[in-house]
Amino acid sequence: MVNCGLLTNKNEPVPLKNIEVDLQVKGHVATVTSTLKYINEEDNPVEAVFVFPMPSEAALCQFSAKIADQEIVAEVQEKEEAREQYDDALSSGEQAFLLEESEESVDVFRLSVGSLPPRQSASVTFIYIIELSVQADHSLQFCLPAVLNPRYTPAGTGGGIVSEITGSTGIPYSLSFTAHISSPNPITKVESKCPLEPLMFLSTDHTEAKVSLSAGHMFDRDVELYLYYQNPHQLTAIVEAGAPAAQPGSLMGDPVVMVSFYPEFPESVMSSMSSCGEFVFVMDRSGSMSCSMYNGPDAQERIACARDTLLLLLKSLPMDCYFNIYGFGSRYNSFFPQSVQYSQDTMEQAVQKVKEMQADMGGTEILPALEHIYKQPCVLNHPRQLFIFTDGEVGNTKDVLHCVRSNADFHRCFSFGIGEGASSALITGLAENSSGHAQFITGTDRMQTKVMQSLRYALQPAVTDITEDWSGLSFNRLSPQIKSLFHGQRALIYAQLKGEECQNPDAKGKISVQYRLGDQEVTNTVDFSLKPAENNGMAIHRLGARSLIRSLERDEQGSKQAVKGPLVKRRIPTPMMFPACTLKSCGFPFGLGISGSRKKVASSPFSLPTKLKGLFGSSNKRKSSAQNSQVLRACPLINRQNDVNTSKTVVSVETPKDPLIQLISLQKASGCWEIESTLAEVFGKREKELIEQIPAQVKPDVWATLLALIWLHGFKIDAQVEWQFLAMKAVAWIRSQKVVNQSECVQAGNALLGCQVKEDALGL
């Protein structure tokens, strides 16, 4: 295991002094310009290596550095050639950088900085592009993380990526953050958990706006922006002009269109649920799961939160489905040899084992567990659905995703990244490679809420049979065909526009997307101008190119062999860190090398797919201008030493139960509750009181179940997304009991619990 970040040759941090971030949003995508400014306060030159993760959905498109009076600009080269030139540059006393994608994971980059002169300032500028994620309230989220987490690497795989990180405080710096937003639909508001300056609209139709982070933000937590547009489910299209210097007819020379497809799910579809499925829950039990969910006095341990979540899932499953639970670390185990049918007996067995789960299985090796699961026979007429929970610290991400992709025809994967800094390449890759859905649980997010959203996706109909009609337009599709979408998911369709009609400024385009949702056939249509939007960073072109390259990479088999003898002078730990979201593989699968004005140094971790050679046309090498520089920053890191290849005994301390969790734990598999002292405690009553108030001709378990439903609606309505499936099972069970005086029972229950819940609200 190796450390990450940057230190001097005396193992002292190079202080960061200033961070600038400029965010340019165009509809559903963003261009981020980040500048990190720091000073080498040593009396000697420093030669070091940065190792840093970045989100897999981002694409690095430009890198430059200014050290003293010399500016260094990145350009793409073959890997071996780049390494040779980097070595030559150092030997000649010239400044040089070498930036490479890690062999282990697409969201980890290594940056060999070379020699930094003593007492000299330096600034590093990254420009990357990213698709903004859609949230449950239909907003778009941009996140600049403040945490850089280590990745765990299984033994025997050639060394780790990152290891122990120690914290450091008191290093002064300043941070500025400004966002410019444009959208085809009007912008209604911009929100953040961090303080913002007032939103400024730059156009009368509110399609252009600007917002800045308030001064004084200490970057002790993620910077998150939530963007709200009018008519979020409306099909939209944005056309971006090609680069003037690029070859006409090439991808970068032609205009590219981005279509946002975010289908709406009517209530009639949302209310229909399947009772079939094989649900396999795969839980990370490595040492790092004993860390807190977030920094705060009331933060729960990740493993404790996972136990509560598994309890909720077990109680929410439909009768007659199949299920199993796996735990993994340096080894793996399962609750049952094979998935078992859901019943009161199997549920009780699983609940007891969940209560005993600890973060005591060593390192984070998910691959053997997945390989074992895929070898198990599927249950006839019960689609396999994997729910994978991990803090995402693995070093063999590519191998894991290849395994998932190879079995994509037999299952869907719902993945959950737990805690700050979970590997987005792993979490999103698990879902993307199996037509599933990914969620990240950070800060004070409740794991239960997000997991139950995914369970709803697994049980509800999805958008399928998706086809497109481009109304006679000549185009090359850049993104893969969409197979399916769940409720709350959005797809971005990229296409290179061709033909003479694109040269006419008055020309119009039209696209229709047809799909099936349940038993309904739906069509969404959008008309748009073929006059391209003003060229601003080529974000849509680059994301379209990345989408195309990823598709071709899956079709073509490269050598995928690591170059022997990598030039690494020293990889050293630092208490300072970059935001985990500042870069990514150019979307093009290249590394970037950086050199001085006379030497050109670059790296490509693997060759460009054969089909792409000559596709992008001529390149236009330019140095980044000062006004384009912006973002990165330093901030204290988390000390994480828990993932080790040895088991340890974890002593759990019993904490007071959340009344909601306590109520959930008492529900039977069929959906009912029984009168007992623990249930009475949840209601703040004595068991004797519950018994004395039972209405005439009502069975005790019916009375207990009605009281539980009333209590949930009366006291926990804000958490309804968490208990909605429990309530549905309870309602179905009560209906099967054919209660003759149901209205009277509801009134009596309200009186006992001090509520005013109406019978209709209970779903009865």
Side-chain angles (χ1 to χ4, degrees):
M1 303 257 294
V2 201
N3 294 311
C4 71
L6 175 69
L7 286 184
T8 69
N9 52 10
K10 295 181 180 179
N11 286 334
E12 296 177 353
V14 178
L16 278 150
K17 295 298 183 181
N18 184 38
I19 308 114
E20 296 177 357
V21 184
D22 179 71
L23 177 68
Q24 300 283 338
V25 177
K26 186 183 294 184
H28 286 242
V29 302
T31 302
V32 185
T33 304
S34 312
T35 297
L36 166 66
K37 297 180 181 178
Y38 59 95
I39 297 176
N40 176 16
E41 296 180 342
E42 292 288 317
D43 294 326
N44 301 303
V46 176
E47 184 183 336
V49 175
F50 285 113
V51 179
F52 50 94
M54 64 202 70
S56 61
E57 63 271 19
L60 177 67
C61 53
Q62 189 169 326
F63 181 99
S64 65
K66 189 172 183 180
I67 300 177
D69 296 328
Q70 186 175 21
E71 186 175 21
I72 299 169
V73 180
E75 77 174 27
V76 176
Q77 291 184 356
E78 288 295 330
K79 184 178 220 174
E80 293 185 58
E81 180 185 356
R83 289 184 183 276
E84 291 173 1
Q85 292 195 28
Y86 173 75
D87 199 9
D88 291 344
L90 290 185
S91 300
S92 303
E94 297 186 40
Q95 302 296 333
F97 280 44
L98 180 64
L99 180 64
E100 307 175 90
E101 180 184 295
S102 165
E103 298 291 347
E104 296 90 352
S105 178
V106 297
D107 71 341
V108 176
F109 270 71
R110 291 181 174 91
L111 175 61
S112 299
V113 180
S115 180
L116 307 182
R119 302 294 176 180
Q120 292 291 328
S121 63
S123 65
V124 179
T125 297
F126 305 88
I127 301 178
Y128 70 95
I129 50 180
I130 191 168
E131 296 178 355
L132 303 179
S133 61
V134 179
Q135 304 301 296
D137 62 355
H138 313 306
S139 65
L140 300 179
Q141 182 202 46
F142 169 77
C143 181
L144 186 69
V147 172
L148 182 92
N149 265 341
R151 301 278 192 268
Y152 172 82
T153 300
T157 57
I161 301 172
V162 184
S163 83
E164 176 187 348
I165 302 172
T166 56
S168 176
T169 58
I171 298 177
Y173 63 88
S174 60
L175 168 68
S176 65
F177 180 97
T178 302
H180 295 82
I181 308 157
S182 66
S183 167
N185 291 339
I187 303 157
T188 56
K189 61 180 177 178
V190 177
E191 294 182 345
S192 176
K193 297 176 182 178
C194 302
L196 298 175
E197 298 293 335
L199 180 67
M200 294 176 57
F201 288 106
L202 306 179
S203 62
T204 56
D205 60 0
H206 287 195
T207 58
E208 306 276 344
K210 173 184 175 182
V211 69
S212 299
L213 191 67
S214 297
H217 178 67
M218 293 305 295
F219 215 172
D220 54 352
R221 59 189 182 279
D222 294 351
V223 174
E224 296 174 318
L225 286 186
Y226 298 90
L227 316 178
Y228 295 82
Y229 300 151
Q230 277 187 19
N231 305 317
H233 292 292
Q234 180 180 318
L235 199 69
T236 62
I238 300 177
V239 180
E240 182 179 73
Q247 179 182 343
S250 69
L251 189 155
M252 304 308 285
D254 285 341
V256 168
V257 62
M258 176 183 69
V259 178
S260 172
F261 175 47
Y262 182 43
E264 185 171 9
F265 282 59
E267 184 57 37
S268 59
V269 172
M270 296 287 287
S271 59
S272 60
M273 295 288 173
S274 170
S275 60
C276 299
E278 179 195 4
F279 298 90
V280 182
F281 306 112
V282 185
M283 182 59 65
D284 189 340
R285 290 179 56 183
S286 62
S288 61
M289 287 291 288
S290 64
C291 293
S292 298
M293 289 293 295
Y294 60 92
N295 292 325
D298 301 323
Q300 203 177 14
E301 282 191 359
R302 295 177 183 180
I303 192 66
C305 190
R307 287 195 296 263
D308 289 347
T309 302
L310 281 176
L311 173 66
L312 179 59
L313 281 166
L314 286 171
K315 297 292 184 173
S316 301
L317 291 178
M319 290 295 290
D320 300 324
C321 73
Y322 285 75
F323 78 99
N324 203 349
I325 298 177
Y326 283 75
F328 70 90
S330 300
R331 61 191 189 282
Y332 67 88
N333 59 29
S334 62
F335 283 14
F336 305 100
Q338 291 185 333
S339 294
V340 295
Q341 192 167 18
Y342 182 76
S343 66
Q344 181 64 30
D345 180 55
T346 56
M347 184 198 74
E348 286 181 349
Q349 292 181 51
V351 167
Q352 184 56 43
K353 292 180 179 180
V354 164
K355 291 178 180 179
E356 299 168 358
M357 281 178 49
Q358 299 291 348
D360 57 358
M361 295 183 71
T364 312
E365 299 185 32
I366 190 174
L367 185 57
L370 290 177
E371 290 174 334
H372 174 81
I373 291 169
Y374 294 142
K375 290 177 183 177
Q376 305 307 305
C378 294
V379 182
L380 184 65
N381 297 324
H382 287 269
R384 178 170 287 170
Q385 320 253 22
L386 262 65
F387 283 63
I388 299 179
F389 302 81
T390 179
D391 46 15
E393 298 166 9
V394 300
N396 58 343
T397 300
K398 290 181 180 179
D399 293 335
V400 172
L401 299 187
H402 176 73
C403 179
V404 172
R405 185 163 58 249
S406 300
N407 293 275
D409 293 338
F410 309 104
H411 81 297
R412 290 190 302 191
C413 179
F414 297 86
S415 53
F416 305 89
I418 304 171
E420 305 285 355
S423 169
S424 59
L426 176 66
I427 303 306
T428 60
L430 288 169
E432 288 176 354
N433 284 285
S434 61
S435 299
H437 186 255
Q439 300 249 35
F440 288 87
I441 303 156
T442 60
T444 57
D445 292 343
R446 280 183 63 84
M447 186 186 297
Q448 293 90 334
T449 301
K450 295 199 171 185
V451 170
M452 297 313 291
Q453 289 172 350
S454 292
L455 180 59
R456 175 177 280 276
Y457 297 159
L459 293 172
Q460 284 178 329
V463 168
T464 57
D465 300 337
I466 303 168
T467 59
E468 302 152 17
D469 180 1
W470 290 77
S471 300
L473 280 177
S474 177
F475 69 97
N476 288 337
R477 189 186 178 95
L478 304 177
S479 47
Q481 192 68 38
I482 311 165
K483 295 181 180 179
S484 63
L485 285 177
F486 298 109
H487 175 250
Q489 282 190 305
R490 171 220 58 200
L492 295 180
I493 304 167
Y494 298 97
Q496 174 187 359
L497 298 177
K498 309 181 76 66
E500 295 182 359
E501 63 266 24
C502 295
Q503 310 303 320
N504 182 355
D506 298 323
K508 299 288 184 181
K510 179 180 179 180
I511 179 174
S512 297
V513 180
Q514 299 92 28
Y515 56 92
R516 176 177 291 277
L517 181 54
D519 58 357
Q520 303 177 30
E521 296 282 351
V522 186
T523 300
N524 293 162
T525 302
V526 61
D527 297 289
F528 56 95
S529 171
L530 290 179
K531 181 181 179 181
E534 188 176 314
N535 186 359
N536 184 16
M538 304 292 289
I540 293 176
H541 278 74
R542 289 187 169 111
L543 287 170
R546 182 193 62 172
S547 182
L548 175 60
I549 290 171
R550 285 183 170 180
S551 297
L552 294 178
E553 282 178 347
R554 291 171 183 165
D555 298 335
E556 290 195 24
Q557 296 294 326
S559 65
K560 295 186 178 179
Q561 293 184 2
V563 176
K564 295 182 180 179
L567 175 63
V568 178
K569 302 298 182 182
R570 182 166 60 247
R571 294 190 181 98
I572 42 185
T574 176
M576 307 304 294
M577 78 186 171
F578 302 96
C581 174
T582 359
L583 343 148
K584 189 245 143 256
S585 148
C586 154
F588 307 84
F590 313 139
L592 294 181
I594 302 89
S595 72
S597 56
R598 292 187 180 178
K599 271 203 173 281
K600 303 293 184 182
V601 182
S603 164
S604 174
F606 28 76
S607 299
L608 185 65
T610 305
K611 295 179 184 178
L612 290 182
K613 291 186 176 179
L615 175 65
F616 299 103
S618 59
S619 61
N620 183 21
K621 301 184 178 78
R622 293 175 295 173
K623 293 187 177 181
S624 63
S625 58
Q627 64 265 29
N628 283 339
S629 311
Q630 289 153 350
V631 293
L632 270 178
R633 86 133 275 235
C635 118
L637 297 183
I638 296 176
N639 189 353
R640 304 287 297 282
Q641 304 179 60
N642 297 311
D643 281 357
V644 292
N645 277 315
T646 57
S647 298
K648 64 177 182 178
T649 301
V650 179
V651 179
S652 61
V653 179
E654 192 68 27
T655 55
K657 269 288 185 183
D658 178 343
L660 177 58
I661 298 296
Q662 196 167 3
L663 180 73
I664 291 169
S665 69
L666 297 173
Q667 189 182 31
K668 304 299 180 182
S670 63
C672 74
W673 278 267
E674 294 178 351
I675 291 181
E676 52 185 294
S677 59
T678 313
L679 180 66
E681 288 176 9
V682 172
F683 300 151
K685 305 293 181 181
R686 290 178 290 109
E687 183 179 359
K688 182 180 178 182
E689 290 181 80
L690 303 190
I691 297 173
E692 290 175 346
Q693 297 295 322
I694 297 178
Q697 301 180 345
V698 175
K699 294 188 294 184
D701 50 1
V702 171
W703 174 237
T705 305
L706 279 169
L707 289 176
L709 282 174
I710 293 170
W711 185 88
L712 288 170
H713 283 84
F715 297 101
K716 295 294 178 180
I717 194 64
D718 291 342
Q720 187 172 12
V721 69
E722 298 181 22
W723 50 260
Q724 58 183 327
F725 292 111
L726 286 81
M728 289 169 63
K729 289 172 69 173
V731 168
W733 182 85
I734 289 176
R735 286 174 178 165
S736 70
Q737 302 302 303
K738 304 188 185 313
V739 183
V740 294
N741 54 345
Q742 185 171 278
S743 298
E744 177 189 338
C745 290
V746 172
Q747 290 177 2
N750 274 314
L752 177 63
L753 298 179
C755 299
Q756 296 181 345
V757 179
K758 294 182 179 179
E759 185 176 357
D760 291 345
L762 297 176
L764 296 171

